[in-house]
């Protein structure tokens, strides 16, 4: 009697054996070989993007995020020393922090706790101090367009967002991975990546959380804070991605009137970073720059003049609280997604030369100035 071969079972068994065999070979030949592992991850983006068409563009971003999670979460990968292969930096992307040392992790927690305590002390001092009113009529605008701007006329124009109810605020980050000068915190970075990190405890997301906390707790605003990562794995297209974030929040929360794209500036290059800070209320704080976009490049933007009016009055109130904290307002030819509202603005707190602590302290001053501006003071 001839047995009939069940081809489905044969195919299934063969597939399982093939997958197990390939997995075994990959583990033996690649993951146990540091140089091979490094090269695999170095070119993983190119392999995914160009060799498998379905993974191009939109799908590639999803795959990159999965790959990144596996790369830094799986114990086999965590044990690998990802530093350099033959002197060449492993990652072309600037947005990775690698730290698998337990002691360093504990040090990070301790430093963060100390920073929080110090920030609370500054908050108490700022809140209880007698503020000297500074100059408010010296508004500098770095005009990168050929539009004629008169800051004095804008200052004389009444501005107020409050209409009987405080508006809700969205804080988001087009360049989410921007971080600060954190060498003192014993963080272990990949070579050349001290200006960006996916760790929300040490990038602009942490500053956004602080600004949110103050606006809600001390001034009674409803604040939404987006932690969507818009500049990783690809930096190009960050503003297109953050626009989708804005639209998502506008759709779900029509009560949002004020849109703050929170950044930190980058000045200098390589190891030569320029720090922008001043002393306020007995502490060193990061300086603040407001950026306003226009329609100069031909993009639809009906609100740029209202946004500039918002920025001028916000600058006025920053100057009242701490005259030396402001940098000139940057009026740009680019739009920066500010066409979404008459009350949209970029706020850059500090630079890559500042420490995180200095940026966190500035949030107290920024929050107070925002409240004064919104309320029409």
């Amino acid at each position: 009697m001839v047995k009939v071969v069940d081809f489905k079972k044969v195919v299934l068994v063969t597939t399982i054996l093939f997958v197990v065999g390939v997995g075994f070979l990959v583990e033996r030949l690649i993951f146990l070989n540091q140089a091979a592992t490094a090269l695999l991850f170095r070119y993983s983006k190119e392999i995914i993007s160009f060799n498998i068409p379905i993974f191009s563009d939109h799908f590639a971003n999803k795959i990159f995020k999965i790959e990144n999670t596996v790369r830094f979460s799986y114990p086999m990968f965590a044990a690998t020393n990802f530093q350099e292969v033959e002197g060449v930096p492993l990652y072309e992307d600037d947005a990775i922090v690698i730290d698998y040392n337990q002691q360093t992790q504990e040090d990070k927690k301790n430093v963060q706790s100390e920073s929080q305590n110090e920030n609370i002390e500054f908050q108490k001092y700022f809140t209880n101090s007698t503020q000297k009113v500074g100059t408010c009529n010296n508004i500098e605008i770095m005009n990168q367009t050929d539009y004629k701007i008169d800051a004095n006329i804008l200052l004389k124009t009444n501005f107020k967002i409050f209409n009987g109810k405080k508006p809700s605020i969205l804080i988001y980050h087009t360049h989410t991975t921007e971080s600060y000068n954190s060498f003192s915190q014993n963080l272990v970075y990949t070579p050349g990546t001290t200006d960006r990190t996916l760790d929300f405890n040490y990038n602009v997301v942490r500053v956004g959380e602080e600004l949110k906390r103050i606006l809600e707790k001390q001034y009674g605003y409803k604040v939404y804070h987006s932690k969507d990562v818009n500049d990783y794995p690809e930096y190009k297209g960050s503003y297109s991605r953050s626009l989708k974030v804005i639209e998502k929040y506008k759709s779900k929360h029509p009560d949002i009137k004020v849109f703050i794209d929170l950044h930190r500036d980058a000045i200098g290059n390589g190891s030569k970073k320029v720090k922008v800070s001043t002393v306020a209320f007995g502490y060193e704080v990061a300086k603040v720059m407001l950026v306003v976009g226009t329609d100069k490049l031909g993009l639809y933007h009906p609100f740029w003049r209202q946004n500039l009016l918002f920025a001028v009055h916000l600058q006025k109130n920053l100057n009242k609280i701490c005259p030396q904290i402001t940098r000139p307002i940057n009026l740009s030819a680019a739009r920066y997604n500010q066409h979404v509202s008459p009350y949209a603005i970029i706020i850059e707190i500090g630079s890559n030369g500042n420490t995180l602590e200095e940026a966190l302290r500035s949030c107290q001053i920024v929050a107070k100035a925002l409240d004064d501006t919104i309320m029409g003071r």
Side-chain angles (χ1 to χ4, degrees):
M1 184 176 183
V2 180
K3 288 187 175 180
V4 178
V5 178
D6 189 337
F7 286 101
K8 289 184 179 180
K9 289 184 179 179
V10 172
V11 171
L12 178 60
V13 172
T14 303
T15 302
I16 292 173
L17 290 174
F18 176 77
V19 171
V20 171
V22 170
F24 178 80
L25 289 174
V26 168
E27 180 178 348
R28 290 293 172 183
L29 299 179
I30 297 181
F31 293 144
L32 296 185
N33 182 311
Q34 181 176 330
T37 305
L39 289 174
L40 172 68
F41 285 137
R42 179 176 178 79
Y43 295 106
S44 59
K45 290 183 182 179
E46 286 79 358
I47 292 170
I48 292 171
S49 295
F50 300 108
N51 290 357
I52 307 177
I54 195 173
F55 287 153
S56 61
D57 299 330
H58 173 75
F59 292 101
N61 288 341
K62 303 294 184 183
I63 296 298
F64 293 158
K65 289 180 180 179
I66 294 171
E67 176 235 7
N68 185 62
T69 302
V70 172
R71 183 190 297 175
F72 297 114
S73 301
Y74 197 73
M76 182 187 298
F77 301 156
T80 304
N81 180 23
F82 292 102
Q83 292 298 323
E84 293 188 357
V85 178
E86 297 179 354
V88 180
L90 264 180
Y91 302 110
E92 298 168 357
D93 194 277
D94 279 347
I96 301 296
V97 170
I98 302 175
D99 185 355
Y100 297 118
N101 184 283
Q102 186 62 36
Q103 183 58 48
T104 306
Q105 293 285 5
E106 293 300 322
D107 291 343
K108 283 169 62 176
K109 292 179 182 177
N110 293 335
V111 169
Q112 190 173 2
S113 176
E114 292 171 5
S115 300
Q116 182 64 21
N117 291 337
E118 185 176 312
N119 193 45
I120 290 173
E121 288 302 313
F122 175 74
Q123 174 185 327
K124 291 178 181 178
Y125 191 86
F126 173 81
T127 304
N128 297 326
S129 65
T130 302
Q131 299 177 30
K132 295 181 180 179
V133 177
T135 178
C136 64
N137 57 358
N138 183 25
I139 304 295
E140 294 183 66
I141 298 178
M142 183 170 60
N143 190 348
Q144 297 181 336
T145 75
D146 56 5
Y147 289 127
K148 303 298 181 183
I149 304 297
D150 190 330
N152 290 324
I153 292 177
L154 294 172
L155 277 173
K156 294 175 182 177
T157 304
N158 291 331
F159 183 87
K160 185 178 183 181
I161 303 177
F162 178 77
N163 61 354
K165 181 181 179 181
K166 288 191 173 183
S168 295
I169 299 171
L170 172 64
I171 298 173
Y172 67 99
H173 312 276
T174 294
H175 297 151
T176 321
T177 65
E178 290 178 335
S179 62
Y180 293 85
N181 191 345
S182 304
F183 293 110
S184 62
Q185 298 174 351
N186 297 318
L187 291 175
V188 180
Y189 291 83
T190 51
T193 62
T194 51
D195 294 345
R196 296 186 181 278
T197 174
L198 288 169
D199 189 337
F200 288 170
N201 292 308
Y202 295 97
N203 61 22
V204 289
V205 174
R206 173 68 184 89
V207 181
E209 275 296 286
E210 182 69 4
L211 184 59
K212 175 181 186 291
R213 181 187 69 82
I214 298 168
L215 286 169
E216 288 188 334
K217 187 174 181 180
Q218 295 181 219
Y219 299 103
Y221 289 91
K222 173 60 182 175
V223 181
Y224 302 92
H225 184 199
S226 166
K227 299 179 182 179
D228 291 78
V229 178
N230 298 304
D231 61 344
Y232 177 83
E234 298 296 333
Y235 187 85
K236 184 179 180 181
S238 299
Y239 278 94
S240 296
R241 289 186 284 275
S242 66
L243 179 57
K244 292 179 181 178
V245 170
I246 296 170
E247 290 170 344
K248 176 181 70 176
Y249 275 86
K250 284 187 71 174
S251 176
K252 291 184 178 179
H253 309 287
D255 52 308
I256 298 174
K257 302 299 180 187
V258 179
F259 296 81
I260 299 172
D261 190 359
L262 188 62
H263 292 245
R264 66 105 177 95
D265 201 1
I267 310 174
N269 52 57
S271 60
K272 297 180 180 179
K273 300 182 181 71
V274 178
K275 180 177 182 177
V276 286
S277 66
T278 188
V279 175
F281 308 99
Y283 288 83
E284 192 168 10
V285 299
K287 286 194 172 186
V288 177
M289 180 171 72
L290 309 178
V291 181
V292 178
T294 66
D295 59 1
K296 193 60 187 174
L297 297 181
L299 295 175
Y300 174 75
H301 189 354
F303 298 129
W304 73 264
R305 290 176 178 81
Q306 292 96 317
N307 289 336
L308 180 59
L309 182 64
F310 178 25
V312 165
H313 282 266
L314 178 56
Q315 185 93 327
K316 172 196 74 177
N317 286 313
L318 285 167
N319 284 340
K320 281 184 178 179
I321 301 167
C322 179
Q324 65 273 28
I325 198 174
T326 57
R327 298 167 61 194
I329 295 172
N330 185 343
L331 184 66
S332 174
R335 186 174 66 175
Y336 299 127
N337 293 336
Q338 293 174 3
H339 63 295
V340 300
S341 169
Y343 316 119
I345 194 169
I346 287 178
I347 300 180
E348 300 206 6
I349 299 183
S351 74
N352 53 345
N354 289 96
T355 65
L356 176 65
E357 290 77 15
E358 291 161 356
L360 292 174
R361 293 180 198 131
S362 297
C363 290
Q364 288 286 342
I365 298 171
V366 172
K368 175 69 168 66
L370 276 168
D371 180 56
D372 287 344
T373 307
I374 291 170
M375 299 302 293
R377 300 188 186 107

